[in-house]
Amino acid sequence: MTIPDVVQRLLYLCDTIPSKIRQLTDEDFSTPRAPGKWSKQQILGHLVDSATNNHHRFIRARIETVPKIVYNSDDWVNAQHYQEMDRAQLLLFWEYYNRHLAAIILVIPTEELLKKCDNGDTESHTLEFLIEDYLRHLEHHLKQMVDL
């Protein structure tokens, strides 16, 4: 998938997902999927956290030498109490943050896509890989919430 394809897909998700999430009942949105699992509301919060951390990766990989940006997703979700947040506010934040990321990704010069970032895996990854992986991760979690 090319970077313009990633941007197009990301904007498509921003255009289509909010209405699908708004159609969920409060109970479906806030009830954990199973004991010890996140609710759809917490998954949406996790996707905001993912956007936040990847935002740092997408920028810092361009201006620093192999930055290390790692986070514990469970700790982030728990610390922010997404389960108690207003759905409309959380959904708008997710949508607009991803629109912002799409704009950032679109203007990254091709030669900078080969710059690297350490995200805690056994090896550092290129910016291009991290951008594509961000979309894969996003879609994985969105499928847990709604039909794509």
Side-chain angles (χ1 to χ4, degrees), residues 80-91:
Q80 296 184 77
H81 297 269
Y82 286 122
Q83 190 66 17
E84 291 83 37
M85 282 193 175
D86 177 73
R87 180 197 318 209
Q89 176 185 335
L90 188 57
L91 186 55

Side-chain angles (χ1 to χ4, degrees), residues 1-3 6-7 10 50-51 53-62 64 66-71 98 101 105 108 112-139:
M1 180 174 275
T2 68
I3 295 301
V6 170
V7 169
L10 191 52
S50 177
N53 281 276
N54 279 286
H55 181 193
H56 279 261
R57 291 173 182 148
F58 300 164
I59 298 301
R60 290 179 54 197
R62 294 180 64 198
E64 297 176 21
V66 192
K68 183 171 185 171
I69 303 166
V70 179
Y71 75 107
N98 279 281
L101 290 180
I105 293 166
I108 296 173
E112 290 190 11
L113 292 171
L114 298 178
K115 291 189 172 187
K116 294 197 172 192
C117 182
D118 179 351
N119 68 344
D121 287 346
T122 55
E123 63 183 66
S124 297
H125 296 287
T126 65
L127 193 49
E128 182 174 31
F129 172 86
L130 293 171
I131 290 166
E132 292 169 352
D133 190 57
Y134 175 72
L135 180 62
R136 280 189 294 272
H137 174 260
L138 177 63
E139 289 186 323

